[in-house]
Each structure stands twice: as C-alpha cells, then as structure tokens.
Amino acid sequence: MGISFFWSKGFLLNRSFLWLLFICNLLGTIYGYIWYDSQLQWTAVNKPLWTLPFVPDSPTASLFFTMSLLYLLFPITKPTRIANMARVIVEALAVVTSVKYGIWAVSMIIAGAAQGDVLNWTHYMLIVSHLAMAVEALLYVRFMKTGTAAFAVALGWLLINDTVDYTLNVNPWLPDELEDDRAAVELFTYGLSLASFAAAWLAGRFRKS
C-alpha cells in the first residue's frame, strides 16, 4: 500500500473516515466560534449588528465544509433544482473559504512570530488545524458537484467579506506585532482571496472521478 492510497477515492470516501472527518470538523467549527466569542461581543457593542456574520471567518469556512461532508454521507438521489443549486454553492464556499482562511491564519501566525510574537502550543495547534482545512478542501473538491460559476460566487463573498473587514475594522484580530502592518495585511488578504479562487478552480478543473 503506497502513500497515494491516503488520497485515493477508496480511502477518502470510506464512510468511517467521512464520519471521523465530519466529527473533527464539527468540533473544530464549534471551537472556532467559541474562539471568536470575545470579538463577536465587542463587535455587537461597537459595530453595526449586520457585520457579525463577517467576523468568524475560519469557523464559518469550516461550517461550510462540514455541511459538504453531509452531502457525501447522505447523497440525495433525486435533488430538486433548488437543492442542487444550494449544494453547489455550499461546496464552492467550503472549498474557496477553507483554502483562503486556512492559509491566511497560518500566514498571520508565522508573520507575527517573525516580528517577535511568542508562540505557544495553541499557535501550533492552529497552524496544524488551519493547514488541514486547506488541504482537505482541495482533496475533496473532486468529489463535489460545484463548478466555475459557484466558485465565482464564493469569490464574491470573500471580496465582500474582505471589504467589510478592513473598511469597518471587523477583521480577525491580529497579533500586536502586525498592527502597524495593516495595509500590507489587507493587500495580502485580497490577493489570497483571488489565489484561493484560482486554486479551487484548478483543483476542480482537473478532478478525477
């Protein structure tokens, strides 16, 4: 059994493994929303309430991917047009946002450390879990029904999110060491949205059945 077995269709679509992945992502999503509790409370007090959905970026991405796993665990044999449309949008959001925020979080942690932020076990846990978000999304896109148009919708969501984040200052809180680099972080964030769309599109374009 070669290492390629671990990204084969037989392994990735094994129901036991899908359930394990679903549980891990569900727990990670819940943990992520708890992680954002302080910022959500601060935003509710200091910013318009409609900005709240734009605050917890990573757990929302994880939520979309968790929902996508349900489509694989419980496939609908005869979906309606609306149900099928909902699926392709959710899957597109799952892939594009997971790639974007998985890489973004790791980049911010490393950038903060490079400028003097002291890392602890939580940082390393976040690095591993966020890298896993990006990797699993690209591994599973080939089993999804989503496509270019839906990826474009997901990109639109990311760009709106980026604009709200950096116009109204509801972006994920940065390490103190990066606060004087907000302009560079903003530019990187927009660029990463475009790169994540491209990565999702390429992964979907060359998927194998």
Side-chain angles (χ1 to χ4, degrees), residues 53-55 57 101 156-166 170:
F54 296 95
V55 173
D57 295 331
Y101 294 116
W157 164 256
L158 284 183
L159 295 176
I160 291 171
N161 199 338
D162 295 343
T163 301
V164 173
D165 277 358
Y166 292 94
V170 295

Side-chain angles (χ1 to χ4, degrees), residues 19-33 59 62-63 65-67 69-70 136:
W19 272 114
L20 176 63
L21 206 60
F22 173 80
I23 293 170
C24 289
N25 276 272
L26 179 61
L27 293 176
T29 299
I30 295 170
Y31 176 82
Y33 282 115
S62 179
L63 175 63
F65 189 78
T66 303
M67 293 169 63
L69 291 173
L70 287 176
E136 67 183 5

Side-chain angles (χ1 to χ4, degrees), residues 1 17 26 34 43 52 56 99-100 106 109 118 173 178:
M1 181 177 64
F17 183 72
L26 179 61
I34 294 172
T43 303
L52 286 174
V99 172
K100 190 264 183 75
V106 173
I109 293 172
V118 178
W173 286 341
L178 296 182

